[in-house]
Amino acid sequence: MDIRGDLDALGARFPEVAIEEVPAGGYNVRVAKGQYLDVVSYLREVGYNFPSCITAVDWKDRLELVVQLYKLTEGLTNSQIVMVRVDGLPREGAKVPSITPLYPGLDWHERETFDMYGVQFEGHPNPKRILLPDNWQGGYPLLKDFVDKRPKRPRLVRHRV
C-alpha cells in the first residue's frame, strides 16, 4: 500500500486524527495525547519501521511533540515522511507514553527530549538523563524562556603567535 492509502486507512480507523499534506513533502498526522500510542502502534503495524527523530516544539504557551517516521521497504527509493504530532502539552509536567518498546532506537531521543524540554515518557525503560548532569536543576535549555543561571566563567582565548 502507498503512503496515501496507509493514511486513508489510518483516518478510517481513527476519525479524530487530522491528516494534512506538507508542501515540502510528507504528511502531518495530528493526534490527541490519548491516541498517541495507538496511532504510532498502528503505523508500526502497517510498515513504518524507521523512526528518524522524536523532539518537541515550544510554542511559548504549550509544547508539541513531533515523531518522524518512514516506511522503508526494499526497492523503494523515495519514502515520504510521516510526522506524528501531539499538540497542546503543558509546558510544565508534560507526560506522554514511551514508544521505545515499539522503536528501541528512540531510547536516546526520548531521553534527550526530556533533558531539553521536560517531556516525560511514561514507561521508558531507562529514564535517566543523557545530555545534562544528573544533579541539573537549571530548567530545560530548549524552552524559549530558559535563563542560564550558572555563574559566568571567563572565556579562554588562545592568542596566535
Side-chain angles (χ1 to χ4, degrees):
M1 190 180 293
D2 67 339
I3 189 169
R4 193 63 240 175
D6 291 338
L7 295 178
D8 288 344
L10 175 74
R13 184 163 177 183
F14 302 97
E16 310 83 29
V17 169
I19 300 169
E20 58 193 30
E21 190 168 358
V22 177
Y27 292 86
N28 284 328
V29 176
R30 298 187 182 279
V31 303
K33 176 184 163 185
Q35 289 189 311
Y36 167 64
L37 186 57
D38 294 334
V39 168
V40 173
S41 296
Y42 175 79
L43 289 169
R44 174 77 175 149
E45 288 171 18
V46 297
Y48 288 84
N49 55 3
F50 180 73
S52 68
C53 181
I54 185 168
T55 189
V57 178
D58 181 4
W59 293 107
K60 290 191 175 181
D61 62 336
R62 68 194 191 283
L63 293 178
E64 180 180 29
L65 186 72
V66 182
V67 180
Q68 298 177 345
L69 301 173
Y70 289 91
K71 186 176 193 175
L72 300 181
T73 56
E74 188 175 338
L76 183 67
T77 57
N78 61 343
S79 178
Q80 288 185 306
I81 189 169
V82 171
M83 290 174 282
V84 178
R85 296 176 174 270
V86 182
D87 201 355
L89 298 174
R91 293 185 80 240
E92 292 183 22
K95 293 181 180 181
V96 295
S98 174
I99 58 173
T100 299
L102 297 170
Y103 299 107
L106 287 180
D107 179 301
W108 289 18
H109 293 260
E110 288 185 351
R111 290 168 58 192
E112 177 185 25
T113 304
F114 169 72
D115 268 2
M116 297 291 110
Y117 293 96
V119 177
Q120 295 178 18
F121 294 89
E122 296 174 317
H124 192 282
N126 186 16
K128 62 184 218 174
R129 291 193 177 273
I130 191 168
L131 297 175
L132 299 173
D134 290 336
N135 62 352
W136 178 261
Q137 296 177 4
Y140 302 103
L142 291 183
L143 293 180
K144 291 183 178 176
D145 58 357
F146 173 75
V147 177
D148 189 357
K149 296 179 183 172
R150 294 176 296 172
K152 299 295 180 207
R153 298 186 313 191
R155 184 172 171 211
L156 302 176
V157 178
R158 185 183 328 164
H159 297 286
R160 296 180 188 242
V161 184

